[in-house]
Amino acid sequence: MTDTKNTIVQLTARQQDLENQIERKNKKKGEVEKSLEDARISLVKAESQRDEAIARTTELKGSVSELKQENKDIREQFNHYQQRTSEDRQQERLQFRR
């Protein structure tokens, strides 16, 4: 009878230890799941920011292309103006000499 009671006491203590371990493991599991969810949220935010940055970069590249074309057009107009002005001056000189 005494041996049985000792066995019951030991088994009860072992059961309590196991229940405590399960509780700690479940708590740790909850913390890991929370950490994982936080990481997923951060990942979604980072992907969103990346997509916005890509869109903005594409937009800026388009603006740069437009500005380059505008600059090219202005240079061509300026060169044409200079050439026309030079021709006009040459014509004026010829007329003056005549």
Side-chain angles (χ1 to χ4, degrees), residues 1-51:
M1 186 78 158
T2 303
D3 288 341
T4 304
K5 285 182 183 180
N6 287 337
T7 303
I8 290 173
V9 167
Q10 288 175 349
L11 289 174
T12 303
R14 179 71 178 138
Q15 180 184 5
Q16 186 62 41
D17 287 341
L18 291 173
E19 287 173 356
N20 289 339
Q21 286 179 11
I22 289 171
E23 186 178 330
R24 285 192 303 273
K25 299 277 184 189
N26 285 338
K27 183 178 178 185
K28 182 69 175 172
K29 179 184 171 193
E31 292 171 357
V32 169
E33 287 174 347
K34 170 95 170 79
S35 178
L36 178 60
E37 185 60 26
D38 291 345
R40 285 182 181 147
I41 291 170
S42 295
L43 177 61
V44 168
K45 287 180 183 177
E47 287 173 341
S48 175
Q49 290 173 342
R50 179 204 61 206
D51 293 344

Side-chain angles (χ1 to χ4, degrees), residues 72-85:
K72 181 181 175 187
D73 293 344
I74 290 170
R75 286 181 185 270
E76 287 175 359
Q77 289 174 0
F78 182 72
N79 287 336
H80 177 74
Y81 172 77
Q82 282 183 322
Q83 184 178 359
R84 181 71 180 171
T85 303

